[in-house]
Amino acid sequence: MTDILIIGAGVAGMAAAEHLSAAGYSPRLVDKAARPGGRCATRRIAADRDADWFDYGAQYFTVRDDGFRALVDADLEAGRLARWSPAIASAEQVAGTWLLTPSPDDRERLIGPRGLNVWVRERLAAGGFDIVTERRVERAVADQNGWRIDYSNGEHDRADVVIFTPPAVQTAALLGPRAADIPALADAGAALAACHSVVVRAPALPERQAIFFKSGRLSWVADNTHKAGRDGDRHLWTLHADAEFSDAHVDTPTAELADELIAEFAAATAQRAADMEIVRTHRWRYARPGRGAPDADDLCWTHTAAGLAIAGDWLAGGRVEGAWLSGREAARHLIAAYALG
């Protein structure tokens, strides 16, 4: 049986693993993080399973593809996913004054009842996959015997086929000189843009639970406590900085920018920044499709004769669904190829 290693246990890695498994293969997954999920990142404020939680990466996702629709419907029925219907507003600064206006729509927004990270982890657990976390890949080199994988702890691994799902810059670094011959990595440094994320405990806003920002430093804020279906005077809010601000300050620790983002959230919602407490800060260096993102129609890049595939949301227009489509397409290419025959 062909030995397949998937680097990265986010949504793209999950989709590739599930489709390969359905075809009779037993892929292994390795991820540098403490748990699977990638940018579907969730934390609880305490170790207690029932503690309040917040998503600080992807906030929700939508569905367009029929295949992804089938997966989502099954997970809705199983309770792995839920629909979220927040009261949404848009915020814009006009002549120095923030205008907050209702922005309702009927879009289906999908969340994990205990966070999006839990959704990914539960699907991978249901598949019974061999997953190693907290294992950082340093490089991957092809030779006459397939692929040699070197880890940062000095250990090594081998595989016949490798699927890379990290962001473009990281994938290029792992492949070394070989990356120069891969069109999808031609502008790897610009394939994804950054996002600074700040989670704060702040007063609940009864008439709005999510805000899209049309100007300023922020792009989006969301009430995680409302997502979880919980009550209380103080809620956990995720603030995402916009791409221009994030890229301009990509090398600045998010903790140093938090006060600016909180002040803007407070001003836009007519609150006091002093009433907000920082819970977590995180810089996503590779978060959104950038100016150098490849054509989304390609979905993935494969060299099946070499046992190599590259997948990720950055190859498929961004979004959680894009990551899933990319991982599925990479698996399909490999399953159909003689290299896995």
Short mmCIF file of all heavy atoms in Angstrom, two decimals, residues 218-287:
data_model
loop_
_atom_site.label_atom_id
_atom_site.label_comp_id
_atom_site.label_asym_id
_atom_site.label_seq_id
_atom_site.Cartn_x
_atom_site.Cartn_y
_atom_site.Cartn_z
N LEU A 218 -10.15 47.99 11.48
CA LEU A 218 -10.81 46.69 11.63
C LEU A 218 -11.51 46.27 10.35
O LEU A 218 -11.88 47.10 9.52
CB LEU A 218 -11.84 46.76 12.76
CG LEU A 218 -11.30 46.90 14.18
CD1 LEU A 218 -12.43 47.23 15.15
CD2 LEU A 218 -10.58 45.63 14.62
N SER A 219 -11.71 44.96 10.21
CA SER A 219 -12.51 44.45 9.10
C SER A 219 -13.76 43.74 9.60
O SER A 219 -14.78 43.70 8.90
CB SER A 219 -11.69 43.47 8.24
OG SER A 219 -11.34 42.31 8.99
N TRP A 220 -13.69 43.20 10.82
CA TRP A 220 -14.78 42.35 11.30
C TRP A 220 -14.68 42.18 12.80
O TRP A 220 -13.59 42.08 13.35
CB TRP A 220 -14.65 40.98 10.62
CG TRP A 220 -15.36 39.82 11.27
CD1 TRP A 220 -14.83 38.92 12.14
CD2 TRP A 220 -16.73 39.44 11.08
NE1 TRP A 220 -15.78 37.99 12.51
CE2 TRP A 220 -16.96 38.28 11.87
CE3 TRP A 220 -17.79 39.96 10.33
CZ2 TRP A 220 -18.18 37.65 11.92
CZ3 TRP A 220 -19.01 39.32 10.38
CH2 TRP A 220 -19.20 38.19 11.16
N VAL A 221 -15.83 42.16 13.48
CA VAL A 221 -15.88 41.76 14.88
C VAL A 221 -17.07 40.82 15.06
O VAL A 221 -18.09 40.96 14.37
CB VAL A 221 -15.99 42.97 15.85
CG1 VAL A 221 -14.83 43.93 15.65
CG2 VAL A 221 -17.33 43.68 15.70
N ALA A 222 -16.93 39.85 15.98
CA ALA A 222 -18.00 38.87 16.18
C ALA A 222 -18.11 38.50 17.65
O ALA A 222 -17.11 38.42 18.37
CB ALA A 222 -17.73 37.61 15.36
N ASP A 223 -19.33 38.26 18.08
CA ASP A 223 -19.66 37.92 19.45
C ASP A 223 -19.66 36.39 19.59
O ASP A 223 -20.62 35.71 19.20
CB ASP A 223 -21.03 38.50 19.80
CG ASP A 223 -21.46 38.23 21.24
OD1 ASP A 223 -20.84 37.38 21.90
OD2 ASP A 223 -22.42 38.89 21.69
N ASN A 224 -18.59 35.83 20.15
CA ASN A 224 -18.49 34.39 20.31
C ASN A 224 -19.45 33.84 21.35
O ASN A 224 -19.90 32.69 21.25
CB ASN A 224 -17.06 34.01 20.71
CG ASN A 224 -16.07 34.24 19.61
OD1 ASN A 224 -15.89 33.40 18.73
ND2 ASN A 224 -15.40 35.39 19.62
N THR A 225 -19.78 34.63 22.36
CA THR A 225 -20.70 34.17 23.38
C THR A 225 -22.09 33.96 22.77
O THR A 225 -22.80 33.01 23.13
CB THR A 225 -20.75 35.19 24.53
OG1 THR A 225 -19.42 35.42 25.01
CG2 THR A 225 -21.61 34.67 25.68
N HIS A 226 -22.46 34.81 21.83
CA HIS A 226 -23.72 34.62 21.12
C HIS A 226 -23.65 33.37 20.26
O HIS A 226 -24.62 32.60 20.17
CB HIS A 226 -24.02 35.84 20.24
CG HIS A 226 -25.31 35.73 19.49
ND1 HIS A 226 -25.36 35.29 18.17
CD2 HIS A 226 -26.58 36.00 19.85
CE1 HIS A 226 -26.61 35.30 17.77
NE2 HIS A 226 -27.37 35.73 18.76
N LYS A 227 -22.50 33.12 19.61
CA LYS A 227 -22.33 31.89 18.83
C LYS A 227 -22.60 30.66 19.69
O LYS A 227 -23.20 29.69 19.23
CB LYS A 227 -20.89 31.79 18.31
CG LYS A 227 -20.54 32.57 17.09
CD LYS A 227 -19.15 32.11 16.71
CE LYS A 227 -18.48 33.00 15.72
NZ LYS A 227 -17.10 32.54 15.46
N ALA A 228 -22.11 30.69 20.90
CA ALA A 228 -22.24 29.54 21.80
C ALA A 228 -23.64 29.43 22.41
O ALA A 228 -23.93 28.47 23.12
CB ALA A 228 -21.19 29.63 22.91
N GLY A 229 -24.48 30.42 22.14
CA GLY A 229 -25.83 30.39 22.68
C GLY A 229 -25.91 30.68 24.16
O GLY A 229 -26.82 30.21 24.86
N ARG A 230 -24.95 31.46 24.66
CA ARG A 230 -24.90 31.75 26.09
C ARG A 230 -25.28 33.20 26.37
O ARG A 230 -25.22 34.06 25.49
CB ARG A 230 -23.52 31.44 26.63
CG ARG A 230 -23.14 29.97 26.44
CD ARG A 230 -21.84 29.60 27.11
NE ARG A 230 -21.57 28.18 26.97
CZ ARG A 230 -20.57 27.54 27.55
NH1 ARG A 230 -19.73 28.21 28.34
NH2 ARG A 230 -20.39 26.25 27.37
N ASP A 231 -25.64 33.47 27.60
CA ASP A 231 -26.06 34.80 28.02
C ASP A 231 -25.01 35.42 28.93
O ASP A 231 -23.98 34.82 29.23
CB ASP A 231 -27.40 34.73 28.76
CG ASP A 231 -28.52 34.21 27.86
OD1 ASP A 231 -28.55 34.59 26.67
OD2 ASP A 231 -29.34 33.41 28.34
N GLY A 232 -25.29 36.62 29.38
CA GLY A 232 -24.40 37.32 30.29
C GLY A 232 -24.20 38.75 29.85
O GLY A 232 -24.45 39.11 28.70
N ASP A 233 -23.74 39.59 30.78
CA ASP A 233 -23.53 41.00 30.48
C ASP A 233 -22.25 41.23 29.69
O ASP A 233 -22.14 42.21 28.95
CB ASP A 233 -23.49 41.81 31.78
CG ASP A 233 -24.83 41.79 32.51
OD1 ASP A 233 -25.86 41.64 31.83
OD2 ASP A 233 -24.82 41.91 33.75
N ARG A 234 -21.27 40.35 29.87
CA ARG A 234 -19.98 40.51 29.20
C ARG A 234 -19.72 39.30 28.31
O ARG A 234 -19.82 38.15 28.75
CB ARG A 234 -18.86 40.70 30.22
CG ARG A 234 -19.01 42.00 31.02
CD ARG A 234 -17.95 42.14 32.08
NE ARG A 234 -16.60 42.26 31.54
CZ ARG A 234 -16.12 43.35 30.95
NH1 ARG A 234 -16.87 44.44 30.81
NH2 ARG A 234 -14.88 43.38 30.50
N HIS A 235 -19.40 39.61 27.07
CA HIS A 235 -19.23 38.56 26.07
C HIS A 235 -17.80 38.55 25.54
O HIS A 235 -17.04 39.50 25.73
CB HIS A 235 -20.21 38.77 24.91
CG HIS A 235 -21.62 38.44 25.25
ND1 HIS A 235 -22.59 38.22 24.29
CD2 HIS A 235 -22.26 38.26 26.45
CE1 HIS A 235 -23.75 37.93 24.87
NE2 HIS A 235 -23.57 37.97 26.18
N LEU A 236 -17.45 37.46 24.86
CA LEU A 236 -16.14 37.33 24.24
C LEU A 236 -16.24 37.73 22.76
O LEU A 236 -16.93 37.06 21.98
CB LEU A 236 -15.64 35.88 24.37
CG LEU A 236 -15.33 35.42 25.78
CD1 LEU A 236 -15.11 33.91 25.81
CD2 LEU A 236 -14.11 36.14 26.34
N TRP A 237 -15.56 38.81 22.41
CA TRP A 237 -15.61 39.34 21.06
C TRP A 237 -14.27 39.11 20.35
O TRP A 237 -13.20 39.37 20.92
CB TRP A 237 -15.87 40.85 21.09
CG TRP A 237 -17.26 41.22 21.51
CD1 TRP A 237 -17.74 41.35 22.78
CD2 TRP A 237 -18.35 41.55 20.63
NE1 TRP A 237 -19.05 41.73 22.76
CE2 TRP A 237 -19.46 41.86 21.46
CE3 TRP A 237 -18.49 41.61 19.24
CZ2 TRP A 237 -20.70 42.22 20.93
CZ3 TRP A 237 -19.72 41.97 18.72
CH2 TRP A 237 -20.81 42.28 19.56
N THR A 238 -14.32 38.65 19.12
CA THR A 238 -13.13 38.55 18.28
C THR A 238 -13.07 39.75 17.36
O THR A 238 -14.05 40.06 16.66
CB THR A 238 -13.15 37.26 17.43
OG1 THR A 238 -13.12 36.13 18.30
CG2 THR A 238 -11.95 37.21 16.50
N LEU A 239 -11.92 40.44 17.36
CA LEU A 239 -11.70 41.59 16.48
C LEU A 239 -10.63 41.21 15.46
O LEU A 239 -9.54 40.79 15.83
CB LEU A 239 -11.21 42.81 17.27
CG LEU A 239 -11.83 43.09 18.66
CD1 LEU A 239 -11.20 44.36 19.24
CD2 LEU A 239 -13.33 43.22 18.58
N HIS A 240 -10.95 41.35 14.19
CA HIS A 240 -9.98 41.11 13.13
C HIS A 240 -9.60 42.43 12.46
O HIS A 240 -10.48 43.18 12.02
CB HIS A 240 -10.55 40.16 12.07
CG HIS A 240 -10.48 38.72 12.46
ND1 HIS A 240 -11.06 37.72 11.70
CD2 HIS A 240 -9.90 38.09 13.52
CE1 HIS A 240 -10.83 36.55 12.28
NE2 HIS A 240 -10.13 36.75 13.37
N ALA A 241 -8.31 42.70 12.40
CA ALA A 241 -7.84 43.89 11.69
C ALA A 241 -7.96 43.68 10.19
O ALA A 241 -7.96 42.54 9.70
CB ALA A 241 -6.39 44.17 12.07
N ASP A 242 -8.06 44.78 9.45
CA ASP A 242 -8.18 44.63 8.00
C ASP A 242 -6.82 44.32 7.38
O ASP A 242 -5.77 44.42 8.03
CB ASP A 242 -8.83 45.86 7.37
CG ASP A 242 -7.89 47.03 7.14
OD1 ASP A 242 -6.85 47.11 7.82
OD2 ASP A 242 -8.19 47.85 6.27
N ALA A 243 -6.84 43.91 6.11
CA ALA A 243 -5.63 43.43 5.44
C ALA A 243 -4.58 44.53 5.31
O ALA A 243 -3.39 44.28 5.52
CB ALA A 243 -5.99 42.87 4.07
N GLU A 244 -5.00 45.75 4.98
CA GLU A 244 -4.03 46.84 4.79
C GLU A 244 -3.30 47.15 6.10
O GLU A 244 -2.07 47.27 6.13
CB GLU A 244 -4.74 48.09 4.27
CG GLU A 244 -3.79 49.25 4.00
CD GLU A 244 -4.51 50.47 3.42
OE1 GLU A 244 -5.72 50.39 3.16
OE2 GLU A 244 -3.84 51.51 3.24
N PHE A 245 -4.06 47.26 7.18
CA PHE A 245 -3.44 47.55 8.48
C PHE A 245 -2.56 46.38 8.92
O PHE A 245 -1.44 46.58 9.42
CB PHE A 245 -4.53 47.80 9.52
CG PHE A 245 -4.01 48.08 10.90
CD1 PHE A 245 -3.58 49.35 11.25
CD2 PHE A 245 -3.96 47.07 11.86
CE1 PHE A 245 -3.10 49.62 12.54
CE2 PHE A 245 -3.48 47.31 13.13
CZ PHE A 245 -3.05 48.59 13.47
N SER A 246 -3.04 45.16 8.73
CA SER A 246 -2.29 43.98 9.16
C SER A 246 -0.98 43.84 8.39
O SER A 246 0.07 43.56 8.98
CB SER A 246 -3.14 42.72 8.99
OG SER A 246 -4.26 42.74 9.85
N ASP A 247 -1.03 44.03 7.08
CA ASP A 247 0.19 43.91 6.28
C ASP A 247 1.18 45.02 6.59
O ASP A 247 2.40 44.82 6.59
CB ASP A 247 -0.14 43.90 4.79
CG ASP A 247 -0.59 42.52 4.31
OD1 ASP A 247 -0.29 41.52 4.99
OD2 ASP A 247 -1.23 42.43 3.24
N ALA A 248 0.65 46.22 6.87
CA ALA A 248 1.54 47.35 7.19
C ALA A 248 2.24 47.14 8.53
O ALA A 248 3.31 47.73 8.76
CB ALA A 248 0.73 48.64 7.23
N HIS A 249 1.66 46.29 9.38
CA HIS A 249 2.24 46.05 10.70
C HIS A 249 2.50 44.56 10.90
O HIS A 249 2.42 44.05 12.03
CB HIS A 249 1.29 46.55 11.80
CG HIS A 249 1.02 48.02 11.74
ND1 HIS A 249 0.03 48.57 10.94
CD2 HIS A 249 1.61 49.08 12.37
CE1 HIS A 249 0.02 49.88 11.09
NE2 HIS A 249 0.97 50.22 11.95
N VAL A 250 2.85 43.88 9.84
CA VAL A 250 2.97 42.42 9.91
C VAL A 250 4.06 41.97 10.89
O VAL A 250 3.95 40.90 11.49
CB VAL A 250 3.21 41.83 8.50
CG1 VAL A 250 4.58 42.22 7.97
CG2 VAL A 250 3.04 40.32 8.52
N ASP A 251 5.08 42.77 11.08
CA ASP A 251 6.17 42.38 11.97
C ASP A 251 6.00 42.92 13.39
O ASP A 251 6.87 42.72 14.24
CB ASP A 251 7.51 42.85 11.40
CG ASP A 251 7.88 42.09 10.12
OD1 ASP A 251 7.62 40.88 10.08
OD2 ASP A 251 8.39 42.72 9.18
N THR A 252 4.89 43.60 13.64
CA THR A 252 4.62 44.13 14.98
C THR A 252 3.81 43.11 15.77
O THR A 252 2.79 42.62 15.27
CB THR A 252 3.83 45.45 14.90
OG1 THR A 252 4.54 46.39 14.10
CG2 THR A 252 3.59 46.02 16.29
N PRO A 253 4.21 42.75 16.97
CA PRO A 253 3.41 41.82 17.77
C PRO A 253 1.99 42.35 17.95
O PRO A 253 1.79 43.56 18.21
CB PRO A 253 4.16 41.77 19.11
CG PRO A 253 5.57 42.14 18.76
CD PRO A 253 5.46 43.15 17.66
N THR A 254 1.03 41.47 17.82
CA THR A 254 -0.37 41.89 17.92
C THR A 254 -0.67 42.56 19.26
O THR A 254 -1.48 43.50 19.32
CB THR A 254 -1.30 40.69 17.71
OG1 THR A 254 -0.99 40.06 16.46
CG2 THR A 254 -2.76 41.12 17.68
N ALA A 255 -0.01 42.12 20.32
CA ALA A 255 -0.24 42.71 21.63
C ALA A 255 0.04 44.21 21.64
O ALA A 255 -0.58 44.97 22.40
CB ALA A 255 0.61 42.01 22.69
N GLU A 256 0.98 44.65 20.80
CA GLU A 256 1.33 46.08 20.74
C GLU A 256 0.30 46.88 19.94
O GLU A 256 0.29 48.11 20.00
CB GLU A 256 2.72 46.26 20.14
CG GLU A 256 3.84 45.64 20.98
CD GLU A 256 5.20 45.83 20.37
OE1 GLU A 256 5.32 46.65 19.43
OE2 GLU A 256 6.15 45.15 20.81
N LEU A 257 -0.54 46.19 19.17
CA LEU A 257 -1.54 46.86 18.34
C LEU A 257 -2.94 46.75 18.94
O LEU A 257 -3.87 47.40 18.47
CB LEU A 257 -1.57 46.22 16.94
CG LEU A 257 -0.25 46.21 16.17
CD1 LEU A 257 -0.38 45.35 14.92
CD2 LEU A 257 0.15 47.63 15.78
N ALA A 258 -3.06 45.94 19.98
CA ALA A 258 -4.38 45.63 20.52
C ALA A 258 -5.14 46.88 20.97
O ALA A 258 -6.35 47.01 20.71
CB ALA A 258 -4.25 44.64 21.68
N ASP A 259 -4.47 47.82 21.63
CA ASP A 259 -5.16 49.00 22.13
C ASP A 259 -5.78 49.81 21.00
O ASP A 259 -6.88 50.36 21.15
CB ASP A 259 -4.20 49.87 22.95
CG ASP A 259 -3.87 49.26 24.30
OD1 ASP A 259 -4.57 48.32 24.72
OD2 ASP A 259 -2.89 49.72 24.93
N GLU A 260 -5.08 49.91 19.88
CA GLU A 260 -5.62 50.65 18.73
C GLU A 260 -6.89 49.98 18.21
O GLU A 260 -7.89 50.66 17.90
CB GLU A 260 -4.60 50.70 17.59
CG GLU A 260 -3.40 51.57 17.84
CD GLU A 260 -2.51 51.62 16.61
OE1 GLU A 260 -2.96 52.14 15.57
OE2 GLU A 260 -1.37 51.12 16.68
N LEU A 261 -6.87 48.66 18.10
CA LEU A 261 -8.03 47.93 17.58
C LEU A 261 -9.20 47.98 18.55
O LEU A 261 -10.36 48.16 18.15
CB LEU A 261 -7.64 46.49 17.28
CG LEU A 261 -6.51 46.31 16.26
CD1 LEU A 261 -6.16 44.84 16.10
CD2 LEU A 261 -6.89 46.92 14.91
N ILE A 262 -8.90 47.88 19.84
CA ILE A 262 -9.96 47.95 20.84
C ILE A 262 -10.58 49.34 20.87
O ILE A 262 -11.81 49.49 20.98
CB ILE A 262 -9.40 47.57 22.23
CG1 ILE A 262 -9.03 46.09 22.25
CG2 ILE A 262 -10.40 47.89 23.34
CD1 ILE A 262 -8.25 45.67 23.48
N ALA A 263 -9.75 50.37 20.75
CA ALA A 263 -10.27 51.75 20.75
C ALA A 263 -11.21 51.96 19.58
O ALA A 263 -12.25 52.64 19.72
CB ALA A 263 -9.11 52.74 20.69
N GLU A 264 -10.90 51.38 18.44
CA GLU A 264 -11.77 51.54 17.28
C GLU A 264 -13.08 50.80 17.47
O GLU A 264 -14.16 51.31 17.13
CB GLU A 264 -11.05 51.04 16.02
CG GLU A 264 -11.82 51.32 14.75
CD GLU A 264 -10.90 51.31 13.55
OE1 GLU A 264 -10.15 52.29 13.37
OE2 GLU A 264 -10.95 50.33 12.79
N PHE A 265 -13.01 49.60 18.02
CA PHE A 265 -14.23 48.83 18.31
C PHE A 265 -15.10 49.61 19.30
O PHE A 265 -16.33 49.72 19.13
CB PHE A 265 -13.84 47.46 18.87
CG PHE A 265 -14.98 46.62 19.35
CD1 PHE A 265 -16.14 46.47 18.59
CD2 PHE A 265 -14.91 45.96 20.57
CE1 PHE A 265 -17.20 45.67 19.04
CE2 PHE A 265 -15.94 45.17 21.03
CZ PHE A 265 -17.10 45.03 20.26
N ALA A 266 -14.49 50.15 20.32
CA ALA A 266 -15.24 50.90 21.33
C ALA A 266 -15.89 52.15 20.72
O ALA A 266 -17.06 52.43 20.97
CB ALA A 266 -14.31 51.29 22.47
N ALA A 267 -15.14 52.87 19.90
CA ALA A 267 -15.68 54.09 19.30
C ALA A 267 -16.85 53.77 18.36
O ALA A 267 -17.86 54.48 18.35
CB ALA A 267 -14.58 54.82 18.54
N ALA A 268 -16.70 52.72 17.56
CA ALA A 268 -17.73 52.37 16.59
C ALA A 268 -19.02 51.92 17.26
O ALA A 268 -20.11 52.08 16.70
CB ALA A 268 -17.23 51.29 15.65
N THR A 269 -18.91 51.36 18.46
CA THR A 269 -20.09 50.82 19.15
C THR A 269 -20.51 51.67 20.35
O THR A 269 -21.36 51.24 21.14
CB THR A 269 -19.80 49.38 19.62
OG1 THR A 269 -18.62 49.36 20.44
CG2 THR A 269 -19.60 48.46 18.43
N ALA A 270 -19.92 52.87 20.46
CA ALA A 270 -20.28 53.81 21.53
C ALA A 270 -20.09 53.20 22.92
O ALA A 270 -20.96 53.30 23.81
CB ALA A 270 -21.72 54.30 21.36
N GLN A 271 -18.95 52.54 23.10
CA GLN A 271 -18.60 51.97 24.39
C GLN A 271 -17.30 52.59 24.90
O GLN A 271 -16.69 53.41 24.22
CB GLN A 271 -18.42 50.45 24.26
CG GLN A 271 -19.65 49.70 23.79
CD GLN A 271 -19.41 48.20 23.77
OE1 GLN A 271 -19.62 47.51 24.75
NE2 GLN A 271 -18.93 47.72 22.63
N ARG A 272 -16.89 52.15 26.09
CA ARG A 272 -15.63 52.62 26.65
C ARG A 272 -14.58 51.51 26.51
O ARG A 272 -14.81 50.38 26.93
CB ARG A 272 -15.79 52.98 28.12
CG ARG A 272 -16.72 54.13 28.40
CD ARG A 272 -16.58 54.63 29.83
NE ARG A 272 -16.33 53.55 30.78
CZ ARG A 272 -15.53 53.68 31.84
NH1 ARG A 272 -14.88 54.81 32.06
NH2 ARG A 272 -15.36 52.66 32.69
N ALA A 273 -13.43 51.87 25.96
CA ALA A 273 -12.34 50.89 25.84
C ALA A 273 -11.91 50.38 27.21
O ALA A 273 -11.48 49.23 27.35
CB ALA A 273 -11.15 51.52 25.11
N ALA A 274 -12.07 51.22 28.24
CA ALA A 274 -11.69 50.83 29.59
C ALA A 274 -12.55 49.68 30.12
O ALA A 274 -12.16 49.00 31.08
CB ALA A 274 -11.81 52.02 30.53
N ASP A 275 -13.70 49.46 29.50
CA ASP A 275 -14.58 48.37 29.92
C ASP A 275 -14.27 47.06 29.19
O ASP A 275 -15.01 46.07 29.34
CB ASP A 275 -16.05 48.74 29.66
CG ASP A 275 -16.51 49.88 30.55
OD1 ASP A 275 -15.93 50.03 31.65
OD2 ASP A 275 -17.43 50.61 30.14
N MET A 276 -13.18 47.04 28.41
CA MET A 276 -12.83 45.86 27.63
C MET A 276 -11.51 45.28 28.13
O MET A 276 -10.56 46.01 28.38
CB MET A 276 -12.73 46.22 26.14
CG MET A 276 -14.01 46.78 25.58
SD MET A 276 -13.92 47.16 23.82
CE MET A 276 -15.55 47.88 23.55
N GLU A 277 -11.49 43.97 28.24
CA GLU A 277 -10.32 43.26 28.77
C GLU A 277 -9.76 42.33 27.68
O GLU A 277 -10.51 41.53 27.10
CB GLU A 277 -10.74 42.44 29.99
CG GLU A 277 -9.67 41.49 30.51
CD GLU A 277 -10.22 40.49 31.48
OE1 GLU A 277 -11.44 40.54 31.79
OE2 GLU A 277 -9.45 39.61 31.91
N ILE A 278 -8.47 42.42 27.42
CA ILE A 278 -7.85 41.55 26.42
C ILE A 278 -7.79 40.11 26.95
O ILE A 278 -7.34 39.87 28.07
CB ILE A 278 -6.42 42.03 26.07
CG1 ILE A 278 -6.48 43.42 25.43
CG2 ILE A 278 -5.74 41.04 25.13
CD1 ILE A 278 -5.10 44.02 25.18
N VAL A 279 -8.25 39.19 26.12
CA VAL A 279 -8.23 37.77 26.47
C VAL A 279 -7.13 37.04 25.68
O VAL A 279 -6.44 36.19 26.22
CB VAL A 279 -9.60 37.11 26.19
CG1 VAL A 279 -9.55 35.61 26.44
CG2 VAL A 279 -10.68 37.76 27.03
N ARG A 280 -6.96 37.38 24.42
CA ARG A 280 -5.94 36.73 23.59
C ARG A 280 -5.60 37.63 22.42
O ARG A 280 -6.46 38.34 21.89
CB ARG A 280 -6.43 35.38 23.08
CG ARG A 280 -5.36 34.60 22.29
CD ARG A 280 -5.87 33.25 21.82
NE ARG A 280 -4.88 32.55 21.03
CZ ARG A 280 -3.93 31.76 21.52
NH1 ARG A 280 -3.85 31.57 22.82
NH2 ARG A 280 -3.06 31.14 20.73
N THR A 281 -4.35 37.59 22.01
CA THR A 281 -3.92 38.25 20.77
C THR A 281 -3.20 37.22 19.91
O THR A 281 -2.54 36.31 20.43
CB THR A 281 -2.98 39.43 21.05
OG1 THR A 281 -1.78 38.95 21.68
CG2 THR A 281 -3.64 40.47 21.93
N HIS A 282 -3.34 37.37 18.61
CA HIS A 282 -2.68 36.42 17.70
C HIS A 282 -2.46 37.09 16.35
O HIS A 282 -3.36 37.74 15.82
CB HIS A 282 -3.52 35.17 17.52
CG HIS A 282 -2.82 34.07 16.77
ND1 HIS A 282 -2.00 33.16 17.39
CD2 HIS A 282 -2.80 33.77 15.45
CE1 HIS A 282 -1.53 32.31 16.48
NE2 HIS A 282 -1.99 32.67 15.29
N ARG A 283 -1.26 36.90 15.82
CA ARG A 283 -0.99 37.39 14.47
C ARG A 283 -1.05 36.20 13.51
O ARG A 283 -0.28 35.26 13.62
CB ARG A 283 0.39 38.03 14.38
CG ARG A 283 0.76 38.48 12.96
CD ARG A 283 2.22 38.84 12.86
NE ARG A 283 3.07 37.70 13.21
CZ ARG A 283 4.39 37.78 13.36
NH1 ARG A 283 5.00 38.94 13.22
NH2 ARG A 283 5.09 36.71 13.66
N TRP A 284 -1.98 36.27 12.56
CA TRP A 284 -2.02 35.31 11.48
C TRP A 284 -1.22 35.90 10.33
O TRP A 284 -1.70 36.79 9.63
CB TRP A 284 -3.46 35.04 11.04
CG TRP A 284 -4.31 34.39 12.08
CD1 TRP A 284 -5.22 35.00 12.89
CD2 TRP A 284 -4.32 33.01 12.45
NE1 TRP A 284 -5.80 34.10 13.74
CE2 TRP A 284 -5.26 32.86 13.48
CE3 TRP A 284 -3.61 31.88 12.00
CZ2 TRP A 284 -5.53 31.62 14.07
CZ3 TRP A 284 -3.89 30.65 12.59
CH2 TRP A 284 -4.83 30.53 13.61
N ARG A 285 0.00 35.45 10.17
CA ARG A 285 0.84 36.01 9.10
C ARG A 285 0.30 35.66 7.72
O ARG A 285 0.44 36.41 6.77
CB ARG A 285 2.28 35.51 9.25
CG ARG A 285 3.25 36.15 8.26
CD ARG A 285 4.66 35.68 8.49
NE ARG A 285 5.27 36.31 9.65
CZ ARG A 285 5.92 37.48 9.60
NH1 ARG A 285 6.01 38.15 8.46
NH2 ARG A 285 6.46 37.98 10.69
N TYR A 286 -0.34 34.50 7.62
CA TYR A 286 -0.89 34.05 6.34
C TYR A 286 -2.36 33.72 6.56
O TYR A 286 -2.70 32.62 6.98
CB TYR A 286 -0.13 32.83 5.84
CG TYR A 286 1.37 33.02 5.84
CD1 TYR A 286 2.19 32.31 6.71
CD2 TYR A 286 1.97 33.95 4.98
CE1 TYR A 286 3.56 32.50 6.73
CE2 TYR A 286 3.34 34.15 4.99
CZ TYR A 286 4.13 33.41 5.87
OH TYR A 286 5.49 33.61 5.89
N ALA A 287 -3.23 34.68 6.26
CA ALA A 287 -4.63 34.53 6.63
C ALA A 287 -5.61 34.64 5.47
O ALA A 287 -6.57 33.88 5.39
CB ALA A 287 -5.00 35.58 7.69
#
